[in-house]
Each structure stands twice: as C-alpha cells, then as structure tokens.
Amino acid sequence: MFSRRRWLQSVAAGLAMPASLLQARGHPLFNNHFQVPMLDQGRRSGQDLYFELSIQSGRASILPAVETPTLGVNQPFLGATLKVKQGDRVHIRVKNQLVKTTTLHWHGMKLPAKADGGPHQPIAPGSQWETRFDIDQPAATLWYHSHQLHKTGVQVYHGLAGMFLIEDEPSRKLGLPSTYGVDDFPVILQDKDFNADGTLQYVTTVRDRMMGKRGKHTLVNGVMRPLLKVERPLIRLRLLNGSNARIYQLEFDDGRPFHLIGSDGGLLEHPVTLHAITLAPAERAEVLVDLSDGAMPILRHRTHKQPFPERGMAMMNRMMGEPMQFDIMQIDATAAVSTPVQIPHRLVSHPLVDLHSVVKQRTFKLGMNRSLDGLTTPDQFTINNKSMDMARIDEVVQAGSVEIWTIKNSTMMPHPFHIHNVQFKVLRRERKPQEHELGFKDTVLVHPFERVQLLIQFPLHRDPETPYMYHCHILEHEDHGMMGQFVVV
Ligand code: C2O
Ligand code: CU
Ligand code: CU
C-alpha cells in the first residue's frame, strides 16, 4: 500500500528534481530567449564613422502578462551596441526624444572633456547633441550610459545603458571569438524590482538610498533568466555589471573554469583561468568559456565566504537577507560539442608606466555626511568631505602627466570608484587584488575602510573650462554627492 505520506514525498521529489538530473536528461531549465542588443557599426567614410542615436522610451515584455515601460537607445530597452576601430574618428549625433533632460556618457573612453557626455553636456528634451572624438586606445569593452545630474540612477535603471566596443589590429590577429551574437556576446547584468502593474520599481526605502538600489531579479540584456544557445565550442562573454549597486560574484554551477582575457580597459597580457569573478557596478570582464563538452551550465551569483572577518555592511547585508546565491542565465551548448579548444597563451603587452615619472599624489576620502536624522539630506555622500558641486573644480591635472591617486574608503560599505577619461593600473591595495585588476581599469572596487592606490597617466586632451568626473559608481551614491570634478590643463 502506498501511504499518503510516501505519495506526497514522491510528488515533492518529482517537482523538486535536482537541476543536475534535469540537465542530464537534456532539458535546459531556462527558456527565455537570450537577447543580443542590436549592433550599430555606424556609417563609414574612410576613418570617419557616423552614428545617429536616439534616446527613446519603449516597452519590454519582461514579465508574463504585463509590459514594462523602459528607456533605450535606438531600441526600446537598453542601448544598441556601438562598435568602432582604434584610429576611427567618431561622430555621434544624439537625439533626446524623452520629455526629460538626459546625457550620454562614453564610460572608459579617453576623449576631450566636451565630448565626455557627463553632467556638463545635458541634452534637453527634443534637442540633439553632436559630438566627435578620435578612438585613441586599444580594443576594449566600454559602455555608455546616462549621466544626468541627480538622475543617473533612475535613468540607467530604466535602460539608458549600452555597450561600446573598440576593436584593433593586434586583438584581431589573436583570433579570439569575435563574431557578434555568434561566439561573442554582450552580457549586460542589471537587477530590477517590479510593481504589480509591470512598471519598474526604483528607490523606495531608506535602505535603497543608503546602499543603492538592488533588485530581486537580475536581467541579462533586459531578459530574465535567458537561455543562450551556442553553436561554437569556444565563446567570449563580455560581462558588464550595469547594475546600479549590486556587486556580483559570478561562477558556473558546474564549477567549470573560464579564461579571463580582458578588464575594463582592454585585453590582459595573458589569459588567467578562474572559477569565479567579482564584478562591481561599471566593471567589465571579458571571458572565454570552453563549451566543447556540450553541457548546459548556469551562470550564477554566489557569495563566497570572505577570508577576513565580516565587518559593517557585509554583516548588515547578510542580516538584511541579501540572497547568497541566485541563477542568472543558462548556456545550452548541446550543438557545440567538439574536440577541446585552444586558448592563446599570450594576448597583448601593456605599455609600462614608470613610477619615477609620477609627478603628483592625491588622496580621495570616500565618506558620508551624518545629519541628525541621518538620511534626508540630499547630499548624503562625500569625497574629501565635500558633496558634488557643478560649480566647483576639485582638482587640476597636467595633461600627459603621471599621478598616483589614493582612494580611502572611510565608510562601512564598498564603493566602486570610477575616473573619467583614463585607464589606470591598480598599484597597491590592502585586500588581495583580483585577477582583472592586473589589466587597465577605469573603475575599482574599494572595500570598507580599505585604501587603494592607482597609477594614472592622463591623456593629452586639455580643457581648463570643462571638467571630467570621478565618482562612486553606485549610482545612488553618485546622485547624492559622492562625485567630484577635475580639469586637465
Ligand atoms: Cu560610468 Cu561617470 O560614469
Ligand atoms: Cu565614466
Ligand atoms: Cu558608493
């Protein structure tokens, strides 16, 4: 006789069939179509490359049964991927078709300050902004996003972000996977919350303001839990943490290794084999994944035990129920079975920046204002005890010079610190450096109470009038004061 209890147990077991078992039978668990942002390579005339971008509102079917109002660039949600070559002269016309003022900033690009697209280059509703700059840096995965003063968080959250890829000859010769949407995929990670009517839910609580907006659902290129079907045994994923505030620790559920080949500023000198990678907001990592075994791995977030005592926010996070683990996307490589693939041993060589050429050191202390009620000041966050002021130039830098910037985090939460117009090297840090910090970076995660030293060579563009920004890339921190301005003269 089948007891009721045993029957219940077997039903429950059937429902909760372990992932590994389902996959062993050849069923992917995820079924939403992996969306590849539209590719825009501009209109070319010799070295001149012309882009026409339109910032627009749209709708996306993210949840079943309801539509979500979104923002995008040349598409309804998120931005088209722009692709250029080193040496190109890029002309971009940006039309703002929204009813709100916005900007487009080219994150990671070395360019004249007037072309930067930061808060000093606003585009009013219905108007357009024309900009032009030369691509004078190696192949890299950069991105672009809104940088409207006090509104960056809400605009990026709704979709004003896209990828900006640079190619060059040395990287082409390496023969890395580089066919867009075939073996070379953008992976824009953004986490969201939704209201019942499908609209995106932005900052609602004091905690969102303090720690930055984090959502329960991580989307990949605007899709929840997508399945990427690949036909090539070796693929390149261009991971971008486009989230407002969430720090991801990424790994595959089957423990497979992957090969890190690039950081924010371009390729590393040689690939590094990893099993997990931490990406803070705005950071990018290019990885190669060998799928010649034809498996169906899931890319997931998993918080690892920290090798140091939990302090401050880390502990608070855990107590406040931040999820320790969640799945993000699945790859179906059943059509990609092949003999094992080859990974190049060497990639590119990085120009050496001589420490003797350092002419100046500066320190930036990341902090918080503590007003009596703690949370209602508009400018809650500070750098060197000051909140962002559009009318104040904080630092003046000599064009072409080499400097060391020390970023000191005096708070109990981590802050990803970003500097416009440069690609720096992490010279020294208190915590163990991550492998992608061997490469050029434009954003670096500074842990609670940590001190990180950056070696920076500033490009030659001079403009005493127009500042570049440096700021925390937790967008709610940036929007509430943790930003400063420098000019290059
Ligand atoms: Cu990604 Cu100042 O920004
Ligand atoms: Cu930037
Ligand atoms: Cu911050």
Side-chain angles (χ1 to χ4, degrees):
M1 255 303 261
F2 232 67
S3 77
R4 180 177 158 77
R5 182 146 171 218
R6 266 192 61 197
W7 180 80
L8 278 174
Q9 275 172 350
S10 58
V11 167
L15 288 174
M17 188 156 6
S20 52
L21 212 73
L22 268 173
Q23 283 178 60
R25 295 178 187 177
H27 296 289
L29 294 167
F30 289 26
N31 47 30
N32 291 326
H33 184 68
F34 183 92
Q35 195 86 36
V36 180
M38 168 196 296
L39 180 64
D40 187 346
Q41 307 199 69
R43 183 174 51 80
R44 183 174 291 282
S45 147
Q47 299 283 90
D48 289 283
L49 197 54
Y50 298 85
F51 289 93
E52 304 278 343
L53 303 186
S54 123
I55 302 179
Q56 50 192 241
S57 52
R59 296 186 154 266
S61 298
I62 304 167
L63 303 172
V66 282
E67 287 201 311
T68 300
T70 52
L71 299 178
V73 178
N74 288 10
Q75 57 181 31
F77 186 22
L78 297 169
T81 297
L82 313 183
K83 198 182 206 178
V84 304
K85 284 211 298 284
Q86 185 173 28
D88 284 345
R89 167 158 294 186
V90 172
H91 308 251
I92 310 179
R93 192 199 335 251
V94 187
K95 289 198 181 124
N96 178 6
Q97 304 192 326
L98 308 179
V99 293
K100 300 231 160 81
T101 301
T102 186
T103 81
L104 278 191
H105 163 60
W106 323 110
H107 178 125
M109 199 71 80
K110 301 178 182 179
L111 37 52
K114 284 202 164 55
D116 191 43
H120 292 274
Q121 289 88 38
I123 316 170
S127 73
Q128 61 180 43
W129 176 56
E130 289 189 49
T131 187
R132 186 187 81 188
F133 52 91
D134 295 330
I135 305 296
D136 188 18
Q137 65 195 88
T141 301
L142 309 185
W143 64 305
Y144 63 94
H145 59 78
S146 153
H147 215 304
Q148 180 61 24
L149 191 71
H150 303 316
K151 295 285 178 223
T152 300
V154 67
Q155 294 187 352
V156 170
Y157 187 75
H158 279 82
L160 289 191
M163 281 210 174
F164 202 137
L165 311 183
I166 304 178
E167 297 192 307
D168 66 5
E169 266 311 289
S171 70
R172 197 185 56 80
K173 288 197 184 116
L174 291 169
L176 298 167
S178 55
T179 310
Y180 187 80
V182 175
D183 59 8
D184 182 352
F185 300 96
V187 176
I188 305 175
L189 303 176
Q190 284 193 322
D191 55 328
K192 315 279 180 208
D193 281 327
F194 297 88
N195 298 308
D197 62 355
T199 54
L200 289 171
Q201 183 183 79
Y202 189 51
V203 171
T204 50
T205 62
V206 162
R207 177 174 178 245
D208 292 345
R209 277 276 305 264
M210 278 281 288
M211 307 193 27
K213 174 61 192 175
R214 303 180 195 187
K216 282 181 208 64
H217 307 280
T218 294
L219 310 189
V220 180
N221 302 336
V223 179
M224 202 182 284
R225 294 171 66 86
L227 176 68
L228 170 60
K229 293 191 180 181
V230 300
E231 280 168 12
R232 306 258 176 105
L234 183 66
I235 62 165
R236 159 152 55 175
L237 300 179
R238 299 177 186 260
L239 305 169
L240 158 63
N241 183 346
S243 292
N244 284 34
R246 186 176 293 283
I247 298 168
Y248 294 94
Q249 292 182 273
L250 302 171
E251 62 176 26
F252 286 105
D253 67 328
D254 61 0
R256 77 179 50 225
F258 51 86
H259 310 277
L260 176 72
I261 57 167
S263 58
D264 302 342
L267 294 176
L268 303 182
E269 298 205 284
H270 49 80
V272 185
T273 302
L274 295 177
H275 290 85
I277 187 168
T278 300
L279 274 191
E283 286 190 305
R284 285 88 69 207
E286 293 186 31
V287 302
L288 300 181
V289 190
D290 180 346
L291 296 158
S292 56
D293 60 355
M296 286 184 279
I298 291 173
L299 181 70
R300 68 182 179 194
H301 163 90
R302 187 160 72 101
T303 308
H304 288 266
K305 265 234 124 119
Q306 310 281 23
F308 46 85
E310 240 180 344
R311 275 211 286 195
M313 268 308 156
M315 195 185 316
M316 205 157 119
N317 268 343
R318 192 171 48 79
M319 292 184 333
M320 293 181 86
E322 274 292 304
M324 300 293 282
Q325 181 178 325
F326 52 85
D327 293 343
I328 295 172
M329 63 179 269
Q330 187 173 21
I331 302 174
D332 178 351
T334 42
V337 187
S338 88
T339 50
V341 292
Q342 291 291 316
I343 309 284
H345 293 293
R346 289 207 47 81
L347 297 168
V348 293
S349 35
H350 289 170
L352 218 65
V353 182
D354 185 1
L355 273 177
H356 293 107
S357 56
V358 172
V359 295
K360 190 157 174 75
Q361 302 219 24
R362 301 174 204 258
T363 302
F364 298 85
K365 188 181 102 210
L366 310 181
M368 287 174 65
N369 272 327
R370 275 169 221 279
S371 60
L372 265 187
D373 58 357
L375 299 159
T376 51
T377 50
D379 286 328
Q380 190 182 345
F381 295 95
T382 58
I383 300 178
N384 291 340
N385 304 314
K386 297 171 290 188
S387 285
M388 168 70 178
D389 181 347
M390 290 276 278
R392 184 191 69 228
I393 304 292
D394 298 282
E395 308 290 336
V396 179
V397 171
Q398 300 295 317
S401 68
V402 178
E403 300 198 357
I404 291 177
W405 285 21
T406 301
I407 320 302
K408 265 175 69 177
N409 184 349
S410 71
T411 75
M412 47 183 199
M413 48 183 136
H415 301 282
F417 190 81
H418 167 54
I419 311 172
H420 286 208
N421 186 44
V422 298
Q423 290 292 340
F424 51 74
K425 281 280 178 100
V426 176
L427 192 59
R428 206 171 282 127
R429 67 178 311 154
E430 287 167 7
R431 295 267 289 269
K432 185 172 162 289
Q434 277 215 78
E435 288 74 9
H436 59 94
E437 292 171 356
L438 298 167
F440 283 100
K441 300 276 298 157
D442 53 49
T443 306
V444 65
L445 184 59
V446 189
H447 290 281
F449 307 107
E450 196 193 20
R451 184 188 303 246
V452 177
Q453 285 197 325
L454 311 175
L455 182 62
I456 314 170
Q457 172 138 40
F458 288 87
L460 289 169
H461 310 289
R462 295 165 206 267
D463 184 344
E465 308 290 312
T466 315
Y468 298 100
M469 307 295 126
Y470 50 83
H471 57 89
C472 176
H473 224 288
I474 290 180
L475 300 180
E476 291 69 31
H477 295 177
E478 171 191 335
D479 279 342
H480 295 103
M482 198 177 272
M483 177 152 70
Q485 312 197 85
F486 69 103
V487 290
V488 178
V489 298

